[in-house]
Amino acid sequence: MEIEASNGHNNKTNVEKSERERQIDEWLPITSQRNAKWWYSAFHNVTAMVGAGVLSLPYAMSQLGWGPGVAVMILSWIITLYTLWQMVEMHEMVPGKRFDRYHELGQHAFGEKLGLYIVVPQQLVVEVATNIVYMVTGGTSLKKFHDTVCPSCKKIKLTFFIMIFASVHFVLSHLPNFNSLSGVSLAAAVMSLSYSTIAWAASVDKGVQENVQYGYKSGSAAGTVFNFFNALGSVAFAYAGHNVVLEIQATIPSTAEKPSKIAMWRGVVVAYIVVALCYFPVSFIGYWMFGNSVDSDILVSLEKPAWLIAMANMFVVIHVIGSYQVYAMPVFDMIETLLVKILKFKPTTTLRFVVRNIYVAFTMFIAVTFPFFDGLLGFFGGFAFAPTTYYLPCIMWLVIYKPKKYSLSWWTNWICIVLGVLLMIVSPIGGLRTIIIKAKTYKFYS
């Protein structure tokens, strides 16, 4: 009799537990709504992929040179498209189960504990670093907008512009989930296409500069090599949209006859075409027109006409607002999961309000303190972007699907892994050097 009673009790607690888990899942940002259309995934992917990194691509080209530059750009495009396809395929490879987050896939591939330790730190570094970079970018573009529109005004510190930019996020970051972001994300995706077009069209209009040079700019051989490494990091950063892919796919509905990967893949292909339209013309035309004297932000090289550059900078600001949110969403999801599932907080609006404000304030503080983030970008770019974008998906694929040795799939994955690891080793070196050079002349909060 007692045994039966205890069984009944166990069942009851299980039902309660799953009920609570269901409520939590409906409250968490990523799993809450599964009714996204395929074009949502296109917007979100464009917003996540095309960072303001696109504006520094001509500069990266000038450090790579014509041959290697074109090769690196196109290869990166192909490799990242391939690893993106792998992620989309792996989202639902276990029938009836969906890996809604990067680390859930990691746990499936590498085991419960190890999967978390491999994926979560990297994903967090990528997302938080991206958010900080976007804070700096947003602030810098606002400052450029102000300086272009009103050259005679009193100069305002970058610090304050970053704060102005952050103020938007103190509002926007309270949008509960990815679907509620789709409007912001659409605006951002349209903007990225617009300012990329402005960047290359204005370059064409300016024409090839007189006595343009395409050689390497650095005087010393060491300098050239370091710059080359740093440029690789910039390119890696430009193609890093994979950290939010599964989280975006999680919002798409899935049935047995229409799995989510069909809609998601369609969105990804559209997104990648847009990415190609943004990246290739800007990087190649920008370098072709200005040669190695191109600025680290192509909009600075253009200078005139003032209204156009001001407009482009405003577009960058709007885009970066969207990107910040797309990258922040998985971080919010992680923090909220931790608080609610492990520390057993009640899933309330107050909790969400506090958590998200603290996060935005934190990224703002770091951005204001270290605004020479482009060097840091090469550093982080290699350190965390290369793994999550270029080779973690390949390793998971090898672990899970175990393709035949020396088969096409096996070779493809190993080539990606080797290239990714090389990238991870060399680009932080270049980035670190940039940081050291910048830091010599840097004054805090100036």
Side-chain angles (χ1 to χ4, degrees):
M1 186 67 214
E2 277 176 6
I3 297 169
E4 275 176 21
S6 72
N7 274 353
H9 176 70
N10 278 354
N11 285 347
K12 193 173 166 219
T13 49
N14 280 350
V15 170
E16 275 174 14
K17 191 177 161 201
S18 64
E19 180 59 29
R20 180 168 188 272
E21 279 188 351
R22 198 179 60 78
Q23 280 176 337
I24 289 175
D25 273 347
E26 280 181 9
W27 181 78
L28 285 172
I30 284 168
T31 41
S32 61
Q33 284 185 320
R34 296 200 192 268
N35 54 2
K37 307 276 184 285
W38 70 265
W39 54 85
Y40 285 15
S41 77
F43 311 151
H44 288 318
N45 275 313
V46 170
T47 307
M49 285 281 294
V50 184
V54 63
L55 298 173
S56 63
L57 285 176
Y59 183 65
M61 283 288 296
S62 75
Q63 292 175 326
L64 293 167
W66 272 124
V70 175
V72 167
M73 289 291 300
I74 292 174
L75 257 178
S76 296
W77 193 81
I78 295 168
I79 290 177
T80 52
L81 184 57
Y82 172 64
T83 51
L84 201 52
W85 172 78
Q86 289 180 317
M87 303 272 288
V88 172
E89 285 289 314
M90 288 191 283
H91 178 71
E92 291 182 282
M93 60 195 172
V94 181
K97 186 171 177 354
R98 296 181 65 171
F99 298 115
D100 292 325
R101 300 169 179 87
Y102 206 141
H103 61 88
E104 290 175 14
L105 184 60
Q107 284 172 305
H108 178 72
F110 307 120
E112 287 293 314
K113 272 265 163 64
L114 185 64
L116 273 183
Y117 290 136
I118 292 177
V119 179
V120 171
Q122 296 203 38
Q123 199 182 3
L124 270 178
V125 166
V126 168
E127 280 154 5
V128 177
T130 307
N131 280 160
I132 297 168
V133 172
Y134 283 159
M135 277 278 179
V136 178
T137 312
T140 318
S141 295
L142 271 177
K143 184 168 165 37
K144 278 183 205 150
F145 175 76
H146 172 261
D147 295 349
T148 316
V149 171
C150 176
S152 56
C153 293
K154 181 171 169 284
K155 290 272 182 275
I156 302 175
K157 283 188 204 170
L158 179 61
T159 306
F160 297 125
F161 279 111
I162 294 177
M163 288 176 177
I164 295 168
F165 180 73
S167 64
V168 180
H169 294 295
F170 281 115
V171 179
L172 276 186
S173 56
H174 300 294
L175 287 171
N177 53 32
F178 260 131
N179 282 359
S180 57
L181 264 183
S182 53
V184 179
S185 201
L186 171 64
V190 172
M191 289 304 148
S192 59
L193 201 55
S194 318
Y195 68 71
S196 304
T197 311
I198 288 181
W200 68 258
S203 302
V204 170
D205 184 58
K206 254 194 142 149
V208 180
Q209 302 296 299
E210 357 183 328
N211 49 33
V212 63
Q213 290 174 331
Y214 298 113
Y216 291 122
K217 202 161 38 180
S218 181
S220 62
T224 305
V225 174
F226 278 127
N227 285 346
F228 192 91
F229 288 169
N230 200 27
L232 287 177
S234 309
V235 175
F237 180 73
Y239 282 104
H242 292 46
N243 299 285
V244 286
V245 153
L246 293 172
E247 285 85 349
I248 293 168
Q249 193 170 349
T251 61
I252 295 178
S254 182
T255 53
E257 56 276 0
K258 261 190 83 173
S260 64
K261 67 181 182 192
I262 297 174
M264 182 66 184
W265 180 239
R266 190 184 291 168
V268 167
V269 169
V270 171
Y272 254 76
I273 291 169
V274 174
V275 166
L277 289 175
C278 287
Y279 282 14
F280 298 146
V282 173
S283 48
F284 302 156
I285 294 176
Y287 181 42
W288 180 31
M289 296 304 163
F290 296 104
N292 63 11
S293 60
V294 70
D295 208 283
S296 64
D297 176 345
I298 179 113
L299 293 178
V300 177
S301 298
L302 289 168
E303 281 159 0
K304 293 180 178 50
W307 60 271
L308 191 69
I309 304 311
M311 198 162 79
N313 275 312
M314 214 57 223
F315 287 173
V316 174
V317 173
I318 297 171
H319 174 182
V320 173
I321 290 174
S323 301
Y324 182 95
Q325 291 303 326
V326 171
Y327 273 95
M329 203 53 85
V331 183
F332 294 150
D333 183 81
M334 276 186 204
I335 302 172
E336 287 165 15
T337 305
L338 174 81
L339 291 175
V340 176
K341 285 193 175 169
I342 300 177
L343 304 176
K344 300 282 187 254
F345 276 83
K346 280 258 178 292
T348 58
T349 321
T350 321
L351 174 74
R352 187 168 269 179
F353 183 75
V354 173
V355 163
R356 297 186 176 193
N357 279 341
I358 291 173
Y359 177 77
V360 175
F362 166 74
T363 50
M364 181 184 83
F365 174 70
I366 305 282
V368 167
T369 313
F370 306 109
F372 48 88
F373 220 77
D374 54 340
L376 294 180
L377 204 141
F379 186 63
F380 282 124
F383 213 55
F385 292 94
T388 47
T389 308
Y390 287 81
Y391 66 86
L392 256 182
C394 297
I395 294 177
M396 290 181 190
W397 187 271
L398 289 173
V399 169
I400 295 166
Y401 287 108
K402 303 187 177 52
K404 271 213 290 298
K405 256 195 182 169
Y406 310 119
S407 64
L408 182 64
S409 169
W410 189 88
W411 275 114
T412 318
N413 286 313
W414 274 109
I415 290 169
C416 290
I417 292 170
V418 171
L419 288 175
V421 172
L422 284 175
L423 193 67
M424 183 179 93
I425 297 165
V426 300
S427 63
I429 303 171
L432 196 62
R433 179 168 170 276
T434 313
I435 295 169
I436 293 167
I437 291 172
K438 285 258 170 77
K440 277 179 191 161
T441 56
Y442 178 68
K443 292 180 189 61
F444 273 103
Y445 305 116
S446 58

